[in-house]
Amino acid sequence: MILSQSLETLYSRLTSHGDCAEDINTPKGDIEKDLLRVLSYQAESAVSQEQHQEAVSCIQRCKEMLLRLPKETGYLSLICYNFGVDTYSQGKHEESTFWLSQSYDIGKMNVKYSPGSEMQAKVLRLLAKVYLDWDCQKYLEKALHAVSLANKLSGLYLKIQILIKSWLSELLDCEVPLEVCLSTVKLLVEENREALAFDFLKRVCQHFESSPELGSALLMHIELLLQRDKELLAKQKIEDAITGHYTGKQLAPQTLSSLHLLLWDRASKNFEAKNYSEALEWYNYSLSFYRAGELDQNLAKLQRNRSTCFLHLHQLEKAKEAVEKAARIDPNNIFTQFNIYKFAVLENNAEKDSRHCALCVLISHIIVGTSEVFQQYFSPQHEQQETAIKALESLCEHSQDVTQILTALRSCEHSPVRMRDFFLLSFQLSQLCAPDRGVLMGQKTCLLMAAAASLEICRNSTCLSRLTRFLSIFLAHSFLGTSSKDKTDTLLLLYEFEARAKLNDPKLESVLESVLELDHIETKLLEMIAVLAMEPPAHFPVLCKKALRIALSLHRKQPQVDLTRCSNCLHSLIQLTLPSGVSEVQPCVLEEVWGYYEEALSVIATADFPELEILWLLTRAWNTGILLYSLAQYPEAERWCGLGMSFLKHLGSLQDSYHSQMAGLYSEVLDRLDKAKKNLIIEE
């Protein structure tokens, strides 16, 4: 009640100043909208407490405001409809007829923003039912009138439906090409007329049943079903197409090719989601369109994909069978041979291993730089170290590519200690070369990788002496220069920051300054620095907040603001400055946090902020106000509780539930604050 009175007072002041009130900061439209919402909540509360006249007064006030707030027409109409449903369920027929009539009348006030003709018809049908239940003889005429109006509304919608269906029938009667019919289906789908689209597509398929182009219609039907996650229906259509393919209704080559792509795409998505049995089913549909003895490069690839699915499902024999079929179609394909070799490794078949070791040379051409063959299939988990040695020997014997051999011999990514040692050794060897630009770049890369490995060691151990040793090495060589576009400098600075943070080094702030001097500062880099500044054992909240503030400023300057990352920055800044669970707060801290809240409000006002983050901001502001109230800091308590309330209007789906809770609590807090202030004056 206090809240609505305050809004009414503020609104009347705004109205008295007219539209030119430049000294008033709050827009009149926002106040008016908030007032309408509060009044509707009060009406809802009054209905629940069986205070009918009070609810009527609130809704009447809302109706008067609809002339200036036409977009709220649908909202207010639905509110009255809900009141009508509630009172009808309680047997209050007179009140129910009043609210349902109000719902219909409000809906007529602005057709553009009304709930729609279907909803209006629904309201009238319920109104007629209430009249009949109340007194069939007395209110028969009113009930019939309501039904008549409802029929007119729904009849208009039905007439539109009939006209569209009639036009579609005429389209088929005019013997237009199939392409035109399919374009019409697409248009109906784009206009959200899915039921009509699918019905028309079904009729199109029947109409062009004997046409050789029927496959394109079938393909579209399958595609539309899959887009709407109607997989069972889509699978039925695919199975029908497979049956037709072998009973004289073959699909055109181009249509069949498109269908294969569609099936493979569906299989691929299921495979990426690790739903291997479903992926296999889609691949099998594709396989069903190939006739016995048909040879095709895509069929070999299909069999390899099926083999991979079987392997993930631990069906080794079926996986081998699929690969063998692929080998009969495309025996020289490197991927087919690699799969054969993979099964030999899994079966620990040493003889077959030896026959295929030479293939590692070819395989490494394809997977250069990843060492996937040696890391995945010859790892200790597979207990194939002896085979790995043979494969490496074969690679070294047959390959003339030194880079390739060194790539294969790398096999150390699982051991940060060895990786660091090898990169440092590589750096030392490079110092024997002439110091041209390429060598300098290589040296910096070696230091970068060694730094990453050393930091990984320290993350997994409590010993910092190793990190200290290495830090002196790469700092000693930090003079190596590169172009401003080179990312190595940035990564080295990031590693240096992490190292100095872990060592509690007093020069840590100078590293941040070096980062800020870069030509192009990435917000992600600053966010990572903020995390490292507070990652145990490091604890540098001042530097963390500095990095976050700059990152937030850069985010705000972007043409497309990343709201999630903005909200994360603000969240961290508030949490760092005002941690949860504090028992007292300094004024300077409150002012700093207030500044972050103002920043948040300015961001929220321009775009859709994450709703849960808005809720978090609301809750923290409210809890801060309650804390200040408990500390007898009443003006600040009122200020912070009011700040929390200002976030309510920015909530989306959660607004209604939180508004009803917060409005009542805010009224209580304001009452208590008034009493506390009076008591304080009396005591003085």
Side-chain angles (χ1 to χ4, degrees):
M1 184 64 71
I2 293 175
L3 182 59
S4 64
Q5 289 173 354
S6 300
L7 287 169
E8 287 275 16
T9 302
L10 181 56
Y11 177 66
S12 63
R13 288 179 182 175
L14 285 169
T15 307
S16 64
H17 283 77
D19 292 332
C20 302
E22 297 179 359
D23 59 327
I24 304 292
N25 293 325
T26 308
K28 183 169 67 175
D30 288 347
I31 297 297
E32 199 166 29
K33 186 176 179 180
D34 288 343
L35 179 57
L36 184 141
R37 293 280 170 157
V38 171
L39 287 168
S40 69
Y41 297 145
Q42 288 182 342
E44 187 175 359
S45 175
V47 170
S48 66
Q49 297 177 45
E50 300 184 357
Q51 297 174 354
H52 180 66
Q53 287 306 319
E54 184 176 343
V56 171
S57 299
C58 291
I59 293 299
Q60 187 59 39
R61 182 75 179 90
C62 290
K63 284 179 66 177
E64 293 169 1
M65 299 167 69
L66 281 183
L67 295 174
R68 294 176 296 277
L69 296 172
K71 291 184 179 180
E72 300 298 314
T73 300
Y75 167 76
L76 195 60
S77 176
L78 290 175
I79 285 286
C80 291
Y81 173 75
N82 291 336
F83 292 168
V85 172
D86 291 341
T87 49
Y88 175 58
S89 65
Q90 297 168 8
K92 300 176 181 178
H93 297 94
E94 185 175 4
E95 292 181 14
S96 179
T97 56
F98 171 79
W99 289 121
L100 292 172
S101 298
Q102 286 292 306
S103 175
Y104 175 68
D105 292 340
I106 291 170
K108 290 194 300 180
M109 289 177 68
N110 192 306
V111 178
K112 182 178 179 181
Y113 298 108
S114 75
S117 57
E118 288 185 71
M119 185 62 201
Q120 288 283 79
K122 182 178 179 181
V123 172
L124 289 168
R125 284 193 292 270
L126 179 58
L127 177 60
K129 187 176 188 319
V130 176
Y131 275 130
L132 292 175
D133 287 352
W134 186 9
D135 191 324
C136 182
Q137 293 183 344
K138 185 176 180 180
Y139 298 108
L140 179 61
E141 288 299 322
K142 289 187 176 182
L144 289 173
H145 180 64
V147 169
S148 176
L149 289 174
N151 288 339
K152 286 181 181 178
L153 288 170
S154 58
L156 178 62
Y157 179 77
L158 183 61
K159 185 176 181 180
I160 293 172
Q161 294 283 92
I162 292 169
L163 287 173
I164 293 175
K165 287 188 176 182
S166 174
W167 178 77
L168 293 175
S169 298
E170 289 178 11
L171 198 64
L172 290 175
D173 293 339
C174 292
E175 297 296 331
V176 296
L178 176 61
E179 185 180 353
V180 174
C181 293
L182 296 183
S183 297
T184 304
V185 172
K186 289 180 181 178
L187 183 62
L188 288 169
V189 171
E190 289 170 3
E191 296 298 325
N192 297 319
R193 299 283 184 177
E194 288 190 13
L196 279 173
F198 279 108
D199 180 65
F200 182 58
L201 186 55
K202 183 179 178 181
R203 292 166 62 192
V204 167
C205 291
Q206 293 171 349
H207 186 78
F208 290 92
E209 188 174 9
S210 58
S211 171
E213 299 177 350
L214 177 63
S216 56
L218 181 61
L219 178 63
M220 176 181 280
H221 202 166
I222 294 169
E223 193 171 4
L224 289 175
L225 288 170
L226 289 177
Q227 286 175 2
R228 279 141 190 83
D229 293 323
K230 297 180 179 180
E231 284 199 353
L232 289 176
L233 289 173
K235 288 178 178 179
Q236 183 60 53
K237 291 293 178 185
I238 294 166
E239 290 166 9
D240 291 344
I242 293 169
T243 303
H245 191 67
Y246 292 97
T247 56
K249 295 182 180 178
Q250 289 89 353
L251 298 175
Q254 187 176 354
T255 303
L256 183 57
S257 178
S258 299
L259 181 56
H260 278 303
L261 289 175
L262 185 66
L263 296 172
W264 284 34
D265 179 68
R266 202 71 179 182
S268 176
K269 288 177 180 176
N270 278 283
F271 187 88
E272 289 172 4
K274 299 184 178 181
N275 191 354
Y276 304 115
S277 58
E278 189 70 16
L280 182 62
E281 186 175 1
W282 289 103
Y283 281 130
N284 285 340
Y285 279 137
S286 179
L287 181 64
S288 298
F289 286 96
Y290 286 96
R291 296 179 182 276
E294 189 173 350
L295 299 179
D296 185 284
Q297 295 294 323
N298 287 330
L299 179 56
K301 185 177 180 180
L302 175 60
Q303 292 290 11
R304 287 195 296 271
N305 290 343
R306 292 179 69 246
S307 174
T308 305
C309 291
F310 280 127
L311 195 60
H312 280 288
L313 293 169
H314 307 291
Q315 299 179 26
L316 189 58
E317 288 302 319
K318 290 184 178 181
K320 283 175 60 181
E321 182 184 350
V323 165
E324 288 168 0
K325 289 178 179 178
R328 287 197 289 270
I329 299 168
D330 191 8
N332 297 321
N333 184 278
I334 187 60
F335 292 108
T336 301
Q337 292 296 334
F338 175 55
N339 280 336
I340 294 172
Y341 185 71
K342 179 167 61 177
F343 288 120
V345 171
L346 292 173
E347 292 177 330
N348 200 15
N349 188 332
E351 181 181 355
K352 190 173 281 188
D353 287 348
S354 301
R355 291 202 305 270
H356 287 86
C357 271
L359 289 171
C360 292
V361 180
L362 297 173
I363 294 165
S364 55
H365 277 299
I366 298 169
I367 322 176
V368 167
T370 66
S371 299
E372 181 181 342
V373 178
F374 304 106
Q375 289 176 7
Q376 183 177 353
Y377 298 111
F378 305 136
S379 63
Q381 290 89 332
H382 287 148
E383 300 179 353
Q384 298 290 340
Q385 291 91 334
E386 185 178 347
T387 304
I389 292 169
K390 290 181 181 180
L392 287 170
E393 288 175 351
S394 176
L395 177 64
C396 295
E397 180 182 350
H398 291 86
S399 178
Q400 302 300 318
D401 189 336
V402 177
T403 303
Q404 184 188 79
I405 294 172
L406 289 174
T407 298
L409 290 172
R410 188 171 62 187
S411 301
C412 298
E413 290 182 11
H414 63 281
S415 174
V417 176
R418 290 178 185 173
M419 184 188 290
R420 182 202 57 189
D421 292 343
F422 274 119
F423 276 115
L424 285 178
L425 178 61
S426 178
F427 169 74
Q428 292 165 3
L429 288 170
S430 70
Q431 290 181 309
L432 302 175
C433 303
D436 59 20
R437 184 173 182 79
V439 171
L440 290 175
M441 287 293 294
Q443 288 177 349
K444 180 163 281 191
T445 301
C446 288
L447 288 174
L448 180 70
M449 297 304 295
S454 292
L455 288 170
E456 184 63 28
I457 294 167
C458 292
R459 291 188 192 109
N460 298 326
S461 103
T462 56
C463 177
L464 294 178
S465 59
R466 293 178 177 178
L467 180 58
T468 307
R469 253 192 337 266
F470 175 72
L471 184 58
S472 62
I473 294 173
F474 93 74
L475 289 179
H477 297 87
S478 61
F479 63 86
L480 294 171
T482 59
S483 68
S484 60
K485 294 181 180 179
D486 180 29
K487 299 295 183 184
T488 312
D489 280 336
T490 303
L491 289 172
L492 281 172
L493 283 171
L494 184 63
Y495 289 149
E496 183 181 355
F497 187 91
E498 182 176 358
R500 291 192 187 279
K502 288 189 181 333
L503 293 172
N504 198 23
D505 194 302
K507 295 182 180 179
L508 184 63
E509 188 170 2
S510 66
V511 183
L512 178 56
E513 293 302 323
S514 298
V515 171
L516 298 178
E517 290 171 3
L518 293 172
D519 293 338
H520 303 287
I521 309 174
E522 294 185 3
T523 53
K524 188 175 182 180
L525 174 63
L526 291 169
E527 290 164 359
M528 291 174 70
I529 283 175
V531 172
L532 293 172
M534 296 300 292
E535 189 176 80
H539 185 75
F540 297 92
V542 175
L543 291 183
C544 177
K545 290 199 290 184
K546 183 176 182 180
L548 287 172
R549 283 195 295 268
I550 297 170
L552 179 61
S553 176
L554 292 175
H555 278 306
R556 297 287 310 272
K557 293 176 182 177
Q558 296 299 318
Q560 290 288 341
V561 179
D562 190 328
L563 293 174
T564 300
R565 291 172 70 181
C566 273
S567 70
N568 289 340
C569 287
L570 286 165
H571 187 119
S572 299
L573 283 167
I574 293 170
Q575 184 64 30
L576 280 168
T577 311
L578 187 63
S580 303
V582 295
S583 57
E584 57 181 349
V585 188
Q586 297 297 326
C588 59
V589 172
L590 286 175
E591 285 307 309
E592 182 180 350
V593 177
W594 188 273
Y596 299 142
Y597 267 93
E598 288 182 332
E599 184 102 19
L601 282 170
S602 67
V603 175
I604 292 170
T606 59
D608 293 330
F609 210 68
E611 187 176 23
L612 290 178
E613 201 62 30
I614 294 175
L615 182 59
W616 183 84
L617 289 167
L618 182 156
T619 306
R620 287 304 303 272
W622 180 267
N623 290 343
T624 302
I626 298 302
L627 171 63
L628 292 167
Y629 174 79
S630 68
L631 297 173
Q633 298 181 26
Y634 302 123
E636 284 297 314
E638 184 174 353
R639 184 185 182 207
W640 278 88
C641 286
L643 177 63
M645 290 294 294
S646 68
F647 282 91
L648 271 176
K649 65 181 180 182
H650 299 294
L651 285 177
S653 59
L654 299 173
Q655 183 179 15
D656 292 344
S657 60
Y658 275 89
H659 201 298
S660 56
Q661 299 174 36
M662 298 290 289
L665 287 171
Y666 189 48
S667 298
E668 292 181 18
V669 169
L670 291 177
D671 287 342
R672 291 180 183 179
L673 284 171
D674 286 340
K675 291 177 182 177
K677 289 176 185 176
K678 290 177 182 177
N679 292 336
L680 191 62
I681 294 170
I682 293 170
E683 289 175 4
E684 290 176 353

